[in-house]
């Protein structure tokens, strides 16, 4: 299976990187375009309309926006991930 997701991401990055496009979430033009995958400042492709609800728009350029990895994580895709931050240490 060809990795179309990766290809689309690279195509969009090629358009945004030369103009240093700002993050769609926080508005700061501090995206690390070639940063490692899990770095907070690294580039991540965000979908305006989430893929889960609009799979047909996954490769639609007008539905894609640049974000920081950290900003995209905050947003999620409308699903809440259980927060395991609370531990039950009572002692
Ligand atoms: Zn951001």
């Amino acid at each position: 299976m060809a990795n179309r997701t990766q290809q689309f991401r690279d195509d969009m990055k090629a358009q945004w990187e030369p103009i240093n496009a700002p993050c769609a979430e926080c508005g700061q033009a501090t995206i690390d375009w070639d940063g490692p995958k899990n770095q907070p400042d690294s580039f991540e492709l965000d979908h305006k309309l989430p893929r889960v609800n609009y799979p047909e728009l996954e490769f639609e350029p007008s539905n894609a926006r640049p974000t920081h990895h950290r900003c995209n994580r905050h947003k999620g895709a409308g699903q809440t991930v259980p927060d395991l931050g609370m531990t039950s240490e009572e002692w």
Side-chain angles (χ1 to χ4, degrees):
M1 181 159 76
N3 196 337
R4 201 177 163 198
T5 301
Q6 184 68 42
Q7 183 59 51
F8 180 64
R9 181 187 181 279
D10 287 349
D11 287 350
M12 295 311 296
K13 177 172 163 282
Q15 293 183 36
W16 292 326
E17 186 176 9
I19 59 171
N20 196 25
C23 169
E25 288 293 318
C26 72
Q28 294 185 50
T30 55
I31 295 175
D32 185 358
W33 297 98
D34 290 305
K37 215 173 178 195
N38 293 311
Q39 282 296 305
D41 285 341
S42 292
F43 163 64
E44 199 151 294
L45 189 146
D46 176 53
H47 291 85
K48 258 186 270 189
L49 301 172
R51 273 176 295 184
V52 284
N53 299 331
Y54 301 88
E56 72 276 17
L57 297 179
E58 180 165 5
F59 303 112
E60 169 54 49
S62 65
N63 190 44
R65 312 184 299 174
T67 58
H68 293 108
H69 173 75
R70 62 181 145 89
C71 295
N72 201 20
R73 286 303 101 134
H74 290 170
K75 211 185 86 169
Q79 59 210 356
T80 46
V81 180
D83 189 355
L84 300 176
M86 294 287 281
T87 52
S88 51
E89 284 179 69
E90 298 271 2
W91 318 111

